[in-house]
Amino acid sequence: MINRLFDKIKIVVLTALFVTTVSAAGQVERPKLVVGLVVDQMRWDYLYNYQWGEGGFKTLLQDGYLCNNTIIDYVPTVTAAGHASIYTGTTPAIHGIAGNNFMIHGKNVTSVQDDSERGVGGNEKTRGKSPRNLITTTIADQLQLATNFKSRTVGIALKDRAAILPSGHHPVGAYWFDKGSASFVTSTYYMDKLPNWVADFNKKHHDELSTDLNNLPMGAIMTFALAEQALINENLGRGEATDMLTISVSNTDMCSHYYGTHSPKVDSIYWQLDREIAHFIQVLDERIGRGNYLLFLSADHGGTHSYPRMTSHGLPSGCWHNPDALVAANEVLKERFGVDKLLKEEMEYTFYLNHDAILSARLNYDEVMRAACMALEEPEEIQWAIDVANIDSYPIPTILKERIKLGYFPNRSGEIYVVPRTGVYAGKTEWAGSNHGSWSQSDSHIPLIFMGWHITPGETSRLTHMTDIAATVCAMLHIQAPNGCIGTPVFP
C-alpha cells in the first residue's frame, strides 16, 4: 500500500518536473520590438562622408555593429527588389519581385500592383496594391508563425512598394503616401477604412503633406512622424509577442534622381534624416527601452554619381538612354527581319522579346535573339547584351553571371539583360541626377548596422550580403528564416 502510494507520488513529481522543463525550454528570449529602417539609395560611404550630429547616425555608428562590406548579389539593383530581398533573405530569382516593374502573363505591372484590390483613403478609385506578387515569406511573416500569429507588424513609407513588401503578407497595416490626395493611404488588401489615427494624422498634417515631400526634408519628417504614431496607436512592442515596425525613407532616392548625389537638396534631406533618427531612437528608448528593441539600418541599393559630377573632375562615366536603345534596336531588327517592334519592352536593363510578333511572322526565335543582342551591344556604353537562358555560354566574369541569374525570374524578367560599361548608368549626359540598377560597387555596396537588443558594438569588413539581414534577425530571434532565405547569419 505504502509502495503504491510512493509510486503515485513519484509519477506526479516526475510529471511536474517534465512539464516545468518543457515550459522553460519553450520560453525563448526575444526583444519586444524589431525595427527595420531602410534608406532608399543610400550609398555605404555616406556613413562616413557626412559629419553627423548627436544621437542619430552617430549613435548607430558608436553603439551598433557595422558590416562595412555588405553587397547586393543580384541585378537589377532597384527599390522593389531591394526591399523584398532585405526582408525575405533571398533574391528576385526566388522571391519573384524582379524589379520595380516587370511582366506577369505578358502584362506590364508594378511590383505591388493588384487589380483585385482598390485604394483606401485619398482617391479610393485608384488601383489597388498588395504584397501578392511576393511569393516568399518575410521576417514579419515568420514572426507571426513563431508566435501563433500574436506578433504585429506595421509598414510605413512614402513609396507604396517600400511600405508593402517589408511588412509581409499579414501586417496590421501598411501605409504609403498618395500625392494626388496629399495623404497617407492603404489598400483593401489590409482594411476597408483607414484607422482613426491615420485619418487624424492626415488631417492634422494637411499643410505639411501638401508640400514637395519628394525633394524636401519634410518627406523624412512626415515618414518618421507617422511611424511614431504607429508605434503608439498600435501599441507595438507592448504585447506578449515580438512586434515589428518597418520604415523606409523614400525621398533620399527621389531627390537624388532629380538633383544628384551630394547636391545641396540631397544633403539637406540627410541632415534632417539624422535628426529624425536621433528623435526616433529617443522615442524607442523611452517607450520600449534600449535593451528591449533590435534595430537594423540598411539600404535597398546605392547610387551612381551623375555624369556631370564625374566628368567635371576627369573621372570616367557615361550615360545610356534606354528608350532610345529600344527604338534603335527595333529599327535594326526591322531592317533584318521586316517586322516592326520585335523587342516589346525595356525595363531596368532588361529587354522583352515580342513573342506574338515572332510567332506571327514565323521567325526563328534563336535568330531573332542573336540579332537583338548584337543590336543592343552596338552602343559603346554597352559591354554585353546577354541571352539569359544561355548565359553560361557567354565569356563574362562568373560573378556577373551569378548576379544576373540571381535577379532573373522566369516569365517576369526580360529575356535579354544588358550590362553597361562600368560607371555607365541609364540616363542622359545633361541629366544632373544620379541613378542605380547596375552591378557596380556604386549601386551594390550598401550600409548595414545592427543596434540594440543583444548587439555588442563593433564592426567587420568581411563580405556580407543583403540576404544575410533576414537570416541574422531570424537567427537572433530563434525563429525559422523566411522560406526562400539563402542568407547566412552575420553573428556566429
Side-chain angles (χ1 to χ4, degrees):
M1 184 74 169
I2 293 175
N3 288 337
R4 279 186 292 173
L5 179 61
F6 178 77
D7 288 340
K8 287 182 179 180
I9 293 172
K10 185 165 66 171
I11 290 170
V12 170
V13 171
L14 289 173
T15 302
L17 286 172
F18 174 76
V19 170
T20 302
T21 302
V22 171
S23 177
Q27 292 177 355
V28 180
E29 184 185 2
R30 296 186 180 117
K32 294 181 179 179
L33 180 69
V34 177
V35 179
L37 176 55
V38 176
V39 183
D40 204 321
Q41 203 185 137
M42 182 175 180
R43 294 167 53 102
W44 165 79
D45 56 0
Y46 283 5
L47 288 175
Y48 304 100
N49 287 165
Y50 288 101
Q51 295 296 316
W52 304 115
E54 296 297 325
F57 279 103
K58 186 177 288 188
T59 294
L60 293 174
L61 292 167
Q62 291 174 347
D63 296 353
Y65 188 88
L66 284 68
C67 299
N68 281 316
N69 192 20
T70 302
I71 298 296
I72 301 173
D73 283 338
Y74 62 82
V75 286
T77 48
V78 295
T79 296
H83 282 81
S85 297
I86 286 172
Y87 288 90
T88 64
T90 192
T91 71
I94 297 172
H95 61 57
I97 303 300
N100 293 326
N101 293 73
F102 43 84
M103 293 284 187
I104 294 183
H105 303 305
K107 179 183 178 182
N108 183 342
V109 300
T110 71
S111 59
V112 292
Q113 181 178 328
D114 189 342
D115 293 340
S116 69
E117 306 290 351
R118 59 177 176 77
V120 172
N123 181 2
E124 299 194 357
K125 293 183 180 180
T126 58
R127 178 179 288 166
K129 311 289 173 65
S130 85
R132 287 193 176 105
N133 291 335
L134 180 66
I135 64 173
T136 59
T137 60
T138 65
I139 300 171
D141 295 328
Q142 296 301 141
L143 257 177
Q144 292 207 351
L145 288 165
T147 62
N148 198 22
F149 298 92
K150 294 175 183 176
S151 177
R152 308 171 83 248
T153 298
V154 176
I156 304 289
L158 294 182
K159 292 183 181 180
D160 52 11
R161 53 192 180 271
I164 292 170
L165 297 170
S167 56
H169 294 84
H170 192 63
V172 174
Y175 307 99
W176 54 92
F177 185 68
D178 174 48
K179 187 176 180 180
S181 61
S183 60
F184 279 94
V185 300
T186 188
S187 160
T188 50
Y189 176 86
Y190 305 99
M191 61 195 73
D192 294 324
K193 181 182 177 182
L194 280 178
N196 289 336
W197 65 268
V198 179
D200 291 344
F201 181 91
N202 286 334
K203 184 177 180 180
K204 178 181 179 180
H205 296 284
H206 173 75
D207 290 346
E208 295 96 325
L209 294 173
S210 298
T211 61
D212 182 9
L213 299 189
N214 289 359
N215 299 302
L216 295 174
M218 188 58 70
I221 294 172
M222 288 293 98
T223 299
F224 277 94
L226 186 64
E228 183 175 342
Q229 289 305 304
L231 186 72
I232 295 168
N233 287 279
E234 298 294 352
N235 285 312
L236 298 179
R238 294 196 167 187
E240 57 181 299
T242 301
D243 294 326
M244 189 165 191
L245 176 61
T246 70
I247 308 167
S248 183
V249 182
S250 303
N251 60 330
T252 45
D253 173 82
M254 294 182 280
C255 187
S256 291
H257 278 303
Y258 283 111
Y259 297 101
T261 56
H262 289 297
S263 64
K265 281 186 175 290
V266 170
D267 288 347
S268 70
I269 291 176
Y270 274 96
W271 297 132
Q272 187 62 47
L273 173 59
D274 187 36
R275 291 188 283 269
E276 295 305 315
I277 291 175
H279 173 72
F280 199 72
I281 288 175
Q282 183 179 358
V283 170
L284 290 171
D285 287 348
E286 293 172 355
R287 189 170 178 84
I288 311 297
R290 173 66 64 91
N292 295 323
Y293 65 86
L294 173 64
L295 180 149
F296 66 83
L297 178 143
S298 191
D300 52 350
H301 53 74
T304 298
H305 296 304
S306 70
Y307 179 85
R309 185 168 194 249
M310 295 289 282
T311 55
S312 66
H313 297 284
L315 299 174
S317 182
C319 294
W320 170 74
H321 195 229
N322 35 340
D324 290 347
L326 177 64
V327 172
N330 267 327
E331 289 177 353
V332 171
L333 294 175
K334 184 177 181 180
E335 184 176 346
R336 165 81 180 272
F337 297 101
V339 179
D340 196 17
K341 296 184 179 179
L342 285 173
L343 286 172
K344 183 177 182 179
E345 194 81 61
E346 182 278 332
M347 297 182 199
E348 296 159 347
Y349 300 98
T350 69
F351 288 80
Y352 296 78
L353 289 179
N354 190 335
H355 293 262
D356 290 339
I358 294 171
L359 185 63
S360 177
R362 297 183 179 181
L363 300 176
N364 181 283
Y365 175 86
D366 292 335
E367 287 185 17
V368 175
M369 172 63 80
R370 285 193 294 270
C373 289
M374 289 178 63
L376 290 168
E377 277 185 351
E378 284 189 8
E380 65 176 10
E381 294 83 11
I382 300 304
Q383 197 158 356
W384 296 287
I386 297 164
D387 172 8
V388 179
N390 294 294
I391 190 171
D392 288 331
S393 66
Y394 283 77
I396 66 174
T398 299
I399 191 171
L400 296 189
K401 289 183 181 180
E402 291 305 309
R403 292 194 185 189
I404 294 169
K405 289 179 180 179
L406 288 171
Y408 177 78
F409 192 92
N411 300 319
R412 290 191 180 185
S413 301
E415 298 97 327
I416 300 173
Y417 187 82
V418 167
V419 181
R421 222 178 49 232
T422 307
V424 171
Y425 59 88
K428 291 187 174 182
T429 54
E430 65 271 20
W431 184 35
S434 59
N435 208 349
H436 52 86
S438 77
W439 65 271
S440 73
Q441 278 271 322
S442 296
D443 294 351
S444 65
H445 190 186
I446 56 173
L448 175 57
I449 305 174
F450 295 93
M451 191 197 80
W453 183 80
H454 285 196
I455 297 297
T456 301
E459 62 180 287
T460 181
S461 292
R462 69 177 177 84
L463 180 63
T464 53
H465 309 269
M466 174 184 270
T467 52
D468 294 341
I469 299 172
T472 301
V473 172
C474 290
M476 291 185 68
L477 271 54
H478 291 92
I479 64 175
Q480 182 65 50
N483 58 10
C485 183
I486 61 173
T488 302
V490 170
F491 307 115

